[in-house]
Amino acid sequence: MTNNMFFSCLKATELVEKKQIAGLSCKEKLQLGLHKAMCGACKNYERQSLFIDVLLYEREKDHQQPHINPLELQQRIKKRLAK
Amino acid sequence: MTHGKKKAIILQWVEDYTEDLLNWVYQKTSNQVLAEDLTQDTFLAAFQQIDRFRKDSSPKTWLFAILKHKIIDYYRGQFKNPIKGRIEHVRIEGFHPFNADEKWISHNAPVDWESNDQYLLNNPDFLKILGYCMDSLPTKWRAALELKYFTVKKGVDISQELGITASNYWQVIHRAKLQLRNCLETNWFKKRKDNEDDKQHVFFLS
């Protein structure tokens, strides 16, 4: 029983991702909670994983402009359509 | 509709919407060449399918819907191509921060970043590092991540689109994030901390 409760950092960090994508079973929740209580690195991992989610979601909203003249592309597309 | 008439309509749309489509897809992909290609593909596809365009809808909305599909198709292709045909079992390899006991190798263990401030995204230096770290990921992993953040779909649906099981999908996301996390920590968070420590050091010396 106790052996079942303590598992590796690989498994713990995998559960962090599983939790966000598919959800965890009660047993898995307990296992992850116990592991995090004893492992600072995995606790950091979870915080960072959530932070990376925010960064990558928000990054799409940044307003960089392409360095191309749309007119140039327009001409190219028109040429392709003419074929 | 005659061929000539169809072409005239599309040419007008190219005139009117190229810039909007291009700017949008560039923001989504941060990839100049890709943005141009997908914009062009959108108009070519629109030309092919123009009979399906309903007159009462807006051309712009319709073109954006096509473009969105093109982006998803692109990432899906990126994900599938490295292992054509056999997509059931994705081999998970590459960066591995754990030892034989599946514990963190000490220099790979996540440290406290002391920041979860999304205003980092306003910092061009950080954006450069983030771009670099995304570029360093294996093509497949990157495609899976991009798809995750591009579509607001639940993970389970994305795994279906990718043709893999749900558990395979979060394993891929897991590996991608392990590497991305490590890259950001090494190239940004640890460096920044070192710089601050150096500054303090100098302060005490002076």
Side-chain angles (χ1 to χ4, degrees):
Chain A
M1 165 75 187
T2 34
N3 256 352
N4 246 347
M5 283 315 208
F6 299 103
F7 55 33
S8 67
C9 297
L10 171 67
K11 187 89 203 294
T13 52
E14 222 172 79
L15 285 189
V16 167
E17 301 308 328
K18 186 185 176 191
K19 183 178 168 186
Q20 291 164 56
I21 291 168
L24 298 181
S25 69
C26 286
K27 187 181 163 196
E28 286 170 331
K29 270 184 213 163
L30 194 60
Q31 285 176 319
L32 181 59
L34 275 176
H35 185 97
K36 277 192 303 181
M38 295 178 302
C39 177
C42 285
K43 217 163 135 184
N44 285 337
Y45 176 88
E46 182 168 48
R47 209 178 301 140
Q48 291 165 9
S49 171
L50 295 171
F51 182 44
I52 286 172
D53 280 345
V54 174
L55 288 178
L56 294 182
Y57 275 120
E58 294 297 319
R59 185 181 64 126
E60 305 196 326
K61 292 180 193 145
D62 66 27
H63 298 287
Q64 312 163 48
Q65 291 300 313
H67 314 288
I68 186 195
N69 183 355
L71 288 175
E72 227 174 89
L73 181 62
Q74 270 180 28
Q75 292 313 318
R76 232 193 298 155
I77 297 173
K78 284 179 180 172
K79 247 185 235 163
R80 273 296 297 275
L81 284 165
K83 274 181 195 164
Chain B
M1 215 188 301
T2 64
H3 191 74
K5 201 172 171 202
K6 283 181 196 171
K7 196 167 267 180
I9 292 174
I10 293 286
L11 288 175
Q12 185 59 48
W13 288 354
V14 171
E15 194 81 36
D16 293 343
Y17 304 118
T18 297
E19 189 168 359
D20 289 344
L21 292 172
L22 181 65
N23 285 345
W24 187 77
V25 68
Y26 182 70
Q27 280 174 30
K28 296 290 181 191
T29 61
S30 335
N31 179 332
Q32 181 79 43
V33 178
L34 179 63
E36 291 174 29
D37 285 352
L38 293 178
T39 304
Q40 173 165 306
D41 288 351
T42 298
F43 285 112
L44 296 179
F47 182 53
Q48 299 291 324
Q49 306 164 21
I50 197 161
D51 294 325
R52 277 152 65 183
F53 173 69
R54 294 179 37 177
K55 294 254 156 46
D56 53 344
S57 59
S58 115
K60 195 174 170 180
T61 310
W62 190 59
L63 290 170
F64 269 98
I66 296 175
L67 179 54
K68 218 170 163 181
H69 276 289
K70 293 274 166 208
I71 295 178
I72 293 172
D73 276 349
Y74 170 76
Y75 287 132
R76 199 193 285 140
Q78 288 270 303
F79 184 82
K80 286 185 177 177
N81 269 345
I83 39 158
K84 260 185 189 145
R86 299 184 55 178
I87 48 168
E88 274 315 307
H89 294 281
V90 179
R91 267 184 68 210
I92 313 263
E93 51 195 9
F95 180 71
H96 199 79
F98 303 106
N99 63 23
D101 292 337
E102 301 186 347
K103 292 195 175 117
W104 294 100
I105 297 165
S106 61
H107 65 271
N108 284 328
V111 300
D112 187 355
W113 285 357
E114 294 169 11
S115 164
N116 52 4
D117 189 349
Q118 71 192 64
Y119 289 106
L120 263 180
L121 291 173
N122 296 333
N123 182 335
D125 292 335
F126 177 75
L127 283 178
K128 228 186 271 169
I129 299 289
L130 182 58
Y132 163 77
C133 289
M134 289 296 279
D135 286 344
S136 321
L137 292 173
T139 314
K140 256 175 96 70
W141 297 359
R142 183 183 180 159
L145 268 193
E146 297 277 10
L147 207 55
K148 177 176 181 341
Y149 299 108
F150 179 69
T151 56
V152 272
K153 283 186 180 171
K154 287 242 156 84
V156 181
D157 298 332
I158 298 177
S159 65
Q160 274 169 10
E161 275 196 55
L162 295 176
I164 57 175
T165 62
S167 71
N168 237 210
Y169 176 70
W170 76 70
Q171 280 165 1
V172 169
I173 296 294
H174 176 228
R175 291 312 165 103
K177 274 200 189 164
L178 281 173
Q179 184 172 329
L180 184 61
R181 188 213 70 74
N182 193 69
C183 181
L184 290 174
E185 186 165 294
T186 311
N187 293 295
W188 181 264
F189 292 100
K190 270 186 182 167
K191 265 195 187 150
R192 213 187 35 159
K193 219 171 163 183
D194 289 347
N195 284 345
E196 273 167 20
D197 289 349
D198 283 352
K199 268 184 217 149
Q200 275 190 357
H201 202 60
V202 172
F203 176 77
F204 284 126
L205 283 176
S206 60

